[in-house]
């Protein structure tokens, strides 16, 4: 919605964000990186809490949240409850400070249900099982697709055919 209204929006995976902040800090460009990230009207941080964040990452992440606090919008997607955020950060006081700023003006949208990825995978596997059952009927011709790995398999070797008797 914000992107459709031409608001500046930036989407990033949490782990990638932390790595970018660490790299900017190492290259002595952290101030510039924080300034760029603070300018977006909407920052979407995906998969928050899937990987633990060390003390340096927590400190850098805090600086970003503090800079954006009460000025711009930030969206987090996570499968962790707020009570589990202490497990994500190596530094509990930093986790509390970050949560304090996030929860001050936030709206929490709790989505419950099955993962759409698992749902799609189950449907795929069900369809695949039907195909396999059909292919291995008596006398059926089976085609096996071999993935080309960076051009290592010649195009003519792409498909092989077997007669099942």
């Amino acid at each position: 919605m914000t992107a459709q209204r031409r608001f500046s929006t930036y989407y990033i995976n949490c782990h990638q964000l932390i790595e970018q902040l660490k790299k900017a800090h190492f290259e002595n460009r952290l101030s510039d990186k924080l300034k760029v990230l603070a300018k977006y009207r909407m920052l979407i941080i995906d998969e928050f809490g899937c990987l633990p964040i060390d003390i340096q990452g927590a400190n850098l992440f805090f600086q970003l949240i503090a800079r954006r606090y009460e000025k711009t919008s930030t969206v987090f997607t996570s499968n962790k409850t707020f009570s589990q955020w202490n497990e994500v950060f190596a530094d509990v006081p930093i986790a509390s400070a970050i949560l304090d700023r996030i929860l001050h003006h936030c709206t929490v949208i709790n989505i419950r249900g099955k993962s759409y990825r698992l749902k799609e995978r189950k449907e795929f596997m069900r369809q695949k099982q039907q195909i396999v059952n059909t292919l291995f009927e008596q006398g059926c011709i089976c085609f096996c697709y071999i993935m080309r790995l960076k051009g290592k398999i010649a195009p003519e070797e792409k498909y092989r055919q077997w007669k099942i008797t």
Side-chain angles (χ1 to χ4, degrees), residues 9 12 15 31 33 40 52 64 66 73 87 95 106 131 135 144:
T9 305
I12 189 165
H15 180 68
S31 180
K33 184 67 174 177
Y40 291 104
L64 173 64
S73 298
E87 300 167 11
C106 84
I131 291 169
L135 286 176
C144 179

Side-chain angles (χ1 to χ4, degrees), residues 23-163:
K23 181 180 178 190
H25 179 71
F26 179 75
E27 295 172 350
N28 209 18
R29 307 179 294 104
L30 182 61
S31 180
D32 294 336
K33 184 67 174 177
L34 291 173
K35 189 183 297 184
V36 167
L37 291 170
K39 286 183 181 179
Y40 291 104
R41 296 227 5 222
M42 173 73 73
L43 176 63
I44 303 169
I45 303 171
D46 193 19
E47 297 180 349
F48 181 83
C50 288
L51 296 172
I53 300 172
D54 63 10
I55 292 174
Q56 181 190 18
N59 286 321
L60 297 171
F61 190 73
F62 172 77
Q63 291 179 52
L64 173 64
I65 297 304
R67 185 163 296 196
R68 295 182 59 81
Y69 177 60
E70 292 190 327
K71 296 177 187 137
T72 56
S73 298
T74 306
V75 173
F76 298 89
T77 66
S78 179
N79 59 0
K80 302 281 187 192
T81 62
F82 293 122
S83 62
Q84 294 173 313
W85 281 32
N86 287 340
E87 300 167 11
V88 174
F89 291 101
D91 189 345
V92 175
I94 290 287
S96 297
I98 290 170
L99 274 172
D100 181 54
R101 283 159 181 77
I102 291 170
L103 295 175
H104 184 217
H105 297 294
C106 84
T107 301
V108 177
I109 301 171
N110 192 1
I111 301 171
R112 295 191 183 272
K114 295 181 180 178
S115 166
Y116 72 91
R117 290 181 184 106
L118 291 178
K119 181 182 172 185
E120 289 174 356
R121 183 68 181 165
K122 284 180 182 178
E123 177 63 23
F124 171 75
M125 293 305 290
R126 188 183 62 75
Q127 290 174 355
K128 186 177 177 180
Q129 186 62 41
Q130 288 175 347
I131 291 169
V132 168
N133 289 343
T134 304
L135 286 176
F136 286 99
E137 291 175 356
Q138 187 70 18
C140 183
I141 295 177
C142 176
F143 288 91
C144 179
Y145 179 74
I146 301 171
M147 285 181 48
R148 293 184 64 203
L149 302 173
K150 297 182 181 177
K152 293 181 180 175
I153 298 173
E156 60 275 1
E157 294 179 13
K158 194 173 180 181
Y159 297 99
R160 299 234 172 129
Q161 178 179 344
W162 290 276
K163 171 87 170 153

